[in-house]
Amino acid sequence: MPFIDARFTTPVNATQEENIKTKLGEAITLIGKSEAYLMVQIEDNCRMYFKGNKDDESAYFEVKLLGKSTKANYEKLTKALCDIASEELSIPTNRVYVKFEEVEYWGYDSIIF
């Protein structure tokens, strides 16, 4: 039951949004999760400061998942998310942050996992 919050300083058009959503669904499999339960939020035109300025494009991904994965899997997913930002929105990979949060309990459909 992963959730990916994707925030970008750039505008995201409908085609880019669909491409990002699709690529996030593919990328989540790198940590052993399935798109079947993936929830994605995409927010564009965010006001984010990176290295003290907001002059250049940047991106922030927050990945929350039920349970745990490995450092190696997180590294693979980090690369994939950086590549998505770069390929879809021309955001340099050195201006992308990724936060991972492992959640012990997750509610879904009136129950707790």
Side-chain angles (χ1 to χ4, degrees):
M1 295 184 180
F3 173 73
I4 299 177
D5 183 3
R7 300 178 192 192
F8 308 103
T9 57
T10 61
V12 177
N13 67 38
T15 301
Q16 291 168 321
E17 182 175 309
E18 183 65 26
N19 290 345
I20 291 167
K21 187 268 311 170
T22 299
K23 289 180 177 184
L24 291 175
E26 295 166 358
I28 202 65
T29 64
L30 296 170
I31 59 171
K33 300 296 181 179
S34 166
E35 184 181 19
Y37 290 99
L38 175 63
M39 181 178 281
V40 172
Q41 174 176 285
I42 298 173
E43 187 176 347
D44 65 350
N45 295 313
C46 292
R47 291 177 291 180
M48 291 190 284
Y49 289 81
F50 188 76
K51 298 184 179 181
N53 68 66
K54 65 176 184 174
D55 297 334
D56 295 320
E57 294 85 6
S58 58
Y60 173 75
F61 293 92
E62 189 169 298
V63 181
K64 296 181 181 186
L65 63 134
L66 177 64
K68 298 181 182 286
S69 194
T70 65
K71 182 178 178 184
N73 285 345
Y74 289 149
E75 287 175 348
K76 291 177 196 174
L77 183 54
T78 297
K79 181 181 182 333
L81 297 178
C82 288
D83 289 347
I84 290 168
S86 176
E87 293 164 6
E88 291 300 323
L89 301 172
S90 300
I91 296 173
T93 59
N94 68 346
R95 293 192 58 88
V96 178
Y97 271 179
V98 181
K99 176 189 175 192
F100 294 97
E101 186 174 336
E102 297 170 339
V103 178
E104 185 176 358
Y105 298 104
W106 200 280
Y108 166 73
D109 195 17
S110 303
I111 59 175
I112 296 292
F113 288 88

